[in-house]
């Protein structure tokens, strides 16, 4: 197992390098960019401001000289060059690529193009929101789905199984953001009740509250966002647990254990549980990553929560490349580490598994 762990740790930098290289190439080939984004904003300025800037720059240029960027016609050449220098596009792409790899190896993600902060500062500011949503949602989903899936497997075909299957199907069919809107309408002052706040992770006077009031305020704000994610996310894990246990219960070693006179409880928790949980453990990293980042994006938008998902979305819309690459780097790194943790947990649950032969 030690050799396998060492191999996986050594592969992490190579995997990150591949991810960054592919995305850097996509960025170079895709249309648009921060320069064009700022040129579009400049073109939206009023005529007087544009004329004033042009007279100050005292630059004349032909439209044919400015075909490098869409929307650059009528824009002073000095402005375009200043924007290129500001965003680092005044250097050739090989130089920019090598600098990015060197900086990222040292966890230096640079500065945001549009915010007066480093990418690291932005990530650290937004991380608590995403971690809160991800950890609480994942924990509650597992606490609900595993017992429910086991119960459905043991009572397969019963009224309980059929009734809960409708809830599972409904949860998997309805988008998460619709659950969020529904909860807002009914419980956050939309139409009926106003039991929970509409936005934010804490109240405006949070700093003035006592420590126990801060804890209560935090859970008061996070209840609806987490509930929205849980309702939309428990279905797949529930069915995975049920099918995994049904598959194990039908195997020969269970029949042998019953023939020896073991109780159903002993068979379930001493034999079936360990084998059935392997596939569920394998899916933990992907579920946690989904809850931490991608799955909570719409929830962050609906409830105005400044998390990493919303940060990445805003960066994509504004072509803020340092933030895009920084969040991508963090997502990939955490995903690779969690996958390694999942493999180690595999071995702890079932000592028969040996990754050293891989």
């Amino acid at each position: 197992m030690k050799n396998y762990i060492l191999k996986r740790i050594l592969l992490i930098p190579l995997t990150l390098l591949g991810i960054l290289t592919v995305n850097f190439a996509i960025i170079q080939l895709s249309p648009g960019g921060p320069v064009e984004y700022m040129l579009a904003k400049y073109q939206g300025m009023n005529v007087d401001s544009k004329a004033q800037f042009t007279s100050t720059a005292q630059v004349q240029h032909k439209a044919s000289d400015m075909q490098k960027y869409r929307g650059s016609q009528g824009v002073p050449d000095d402005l375009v060059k200043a924007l290129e220098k500001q965003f680092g596009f005044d250097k050739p792409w090989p130089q920019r690529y090598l600098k990015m790899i060197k900086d990222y190896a040292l966890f230096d993600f640079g500065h945001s193009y549009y915010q007066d902060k480093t990418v690291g500062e932005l990530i650290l500011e937004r991380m608590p929101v995403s971690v809160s949503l991800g950890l609480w949602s994942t924990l509650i989903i597992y606490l609900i789905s595993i017992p429910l899936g086991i119960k459905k497997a043991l009572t397969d075909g019963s009224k309980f199984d059929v009734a809960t299957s409708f809830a599972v199907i409904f949860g998997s069919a309805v988008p998460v953001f619709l659950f969020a809107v529904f909860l807002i309408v009914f419980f956050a002052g939309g139409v009926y009740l106003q039991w929970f706040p509409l936005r934010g992770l804490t109240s405006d006077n949070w700093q003035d509250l006592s420590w126990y009031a801060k804890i209560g305020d935090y859970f008061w704000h996070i209840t609806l966002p987490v509930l929205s994610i849980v309702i939309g996310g428990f279905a797949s894990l529930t069915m995975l647990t049920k099918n995994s246990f049904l598959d194990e219960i039908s195997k020969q070693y269970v029949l042998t254990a019953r023939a020896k006179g073991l109780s159903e409880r002993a068979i379930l928790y001493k034999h079936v549980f360990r084998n059935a949980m392997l596939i569920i453990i394998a899916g933990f990293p992907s579920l946690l990553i989904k809850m931490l980042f991608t799955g909570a994006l719409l929830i962050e938008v609906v409830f105005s929560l400044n998390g990493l998902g919303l940060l990445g979305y805003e960066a994509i819309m504004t072509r803020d490349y340092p933030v895009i690459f920084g969040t991508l780097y963090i997502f990939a790194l955490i995903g690779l580490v969690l996958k390694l943790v999942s493999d180690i947990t595999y071995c702890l649950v079932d000592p028969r598994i040996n990754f050293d032969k891989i």
Side-chain angles (χ1 to χ4, degrees):
M1 188 64 186
K2 293 181 180 179
N3 293 333
Y4 174 75
I5 294 175
L6 181 60
K7 292 177 184 177
R8 289 296 300 272
I9 292 176
L10 293 176
L11 281 173
I12 288 177
L14 295 177
T15 306
L16 292 173
L17 176 62
I19 293 173
L20 289 175
T21 301
V22 171
N23 284 274
F24 182 85
I26 294 175
I27 291 297
Q28 303 308 306
L29 298 174
S30 61
V35 176
E36 291 191 357
Y37 177 79
M38 294 303 294
L39 288 174
K41 294 184 67 174
Y42 176 80
Q43 293 284 19
M45 296 169 61
N46 59 63
V47 177
D48 293 337
S49 298
K50 190 181 298 184
Q52 181 180 356
F53 186 95
T54 304
S55 61
T56 302
Q58 294 181 352
V59 175
Q60 299 293 331
H61 65 278
K62 298 180 181 180
S64 59
D65 296 332
M66 303 303 299
Q67 295 303 313
K68 184 177 179 181
Y69 300 105
R70 292 179 299 175
S72 61
Q73 185 174 357
V75 178
D77 189 26
D78 282 2
L79 175 59
V80 177
K81 291 181 179 179
L83 289 174
E84 286 182 333
K85 184 175 181 179
Q86 175 185 346
F87 298 131
F89 287 94
D90 57 331
K91 301 179 179 64
W93 70 263
Q95 186 175 347
R96 288 187 279 119
Y97 172 74
L98 292 176
K99 184 179 185 303
M100 180 188 71
I101 297 301
K102 179 182 177 181
D103 291 341
Y104 275 56
L106 301 174
F107 287 89
D108 181 6
F109 305 131
H111 284 73
S112 169
Y113 286 160
Y114 311 110
Q115 304 184 54
D116 189 22
K117 294 181 180 179
T118 65
V119 176
E121 291 174 343
L122 290 173
I123 292 176
L124 290 176
E125 286 180 1
R126 304 291 187 98
M127 183 69 78
V129 175
S130 295
V131 170
S132 295
L133 291 176
L135 289 182
W136 285 115
S137 300
T138 304
L139 176 62
I140 296 174
I141 286 174
Y142 266 78
L143 290 177
I144 294 175
S145 298
I146 292 178
L148 180 59
I150 295 174
K151 180 67 174 178
K152 286 174 66 62
L154 297 177
T155 60
D156 185 42
S158 66
K159 292 182 179 179
F160 173 82
D161 180 45
V162 174
T164 52
S165 294
F166 281 108
V168 169
I169 293 172
F170 180 77
S172 61
V174 180
V176 174
F177 75 91
L178 284 183
F179 285 122
V181 173
F182 174 83
L183 293 175
I184 287 176
V185 170
F186 278 87
F187 301 107
V191 175
Y192 300 96
L193 304 173
Q194 197 169 356
W195 290 352
F196 298 95
L198 181 61
R199 59 176 59 87
L201 197 60
T202 56
S203 299
D204 294 336
N205 63 334
W206 191 80
Q207 295 292 341
D208 300 328
L209 300 176
S210 59
W211 66 267
Y212 54 87
K214 289 182 179 180
I215 296 175
D217 183 76
Y218 165 76
F219 283 106
W220 183 47
H221 280 78
I222 205 172
T223 297
L224 292 188
V226 169
L227 185 59
S228 303
I229 299 175
V230 169
I231 293 175
F234 85 101
S236 59
L237 185 60
T238 299
M239 296 308 300
L240 178 64
T241 304
K242 175 188 175 182
N243 294 333
S244 179
F245 273 81
L246 282 177
D247 182 61
E248 292 296 324
I249 289 173
S250 63
K251 290 184 177 179
Q252 184 64 40
Y253 74 87
V254 176
L255 298 178
T256 303
R258 286 173 177 165
K260 290 182 178 180
L262 293 178
S263 65
E264 290 295 322
R265 184 179 182 85
I267 294 173
L268 177 64
Y269 291 104
K270 290 185 178 181
H271 299 281
V272 174
F273 186 82
R274 173 178 293 181
N275 295 325
M277 285 298 292
L278 288 177
I279 190 172
I280 300 171
I281 293 172
F284 176 79
S286 60
L287 177 62
L288 182 57
I289 286 294
K290 179 182 178 182
M291 295 298 104
L292 280 174
F293 307 116
T294 58
L297 171 58
L298 291 176
I299 299 300
E300 291 176 8
V301 173
V302 172
F303 289 97
S304 300
L305 301 174
N306 292 322
L308 287 178
L310 185 58
L311 176 65
Y313 173 77
E314 293 172 345
I316 292 173
M317 297 304 295
T318 58
R319 306 296 194 273
D320 197 345
Y321 291 156
V323 177
I324 294 175
F325 280 106
T327 53
L328 176 66
Y329 189 86
I330 296 298
F331 294 170
L333 179 60
I334 293 178
L336 292 170
V337 172
L338 287 178
K339 180 59 179 175
L340 177 59
V341 172
S342 175
D343 291 342
I344 296 174
T345 309
Y346 254 132
C347 296
L348 295 177
V349 174
D350 191 347
R352 297 172 299 175
I353 297 177
N354 185 8
F355 286 105
D356 287 334
K357 298 180 180 179
I358 297 178

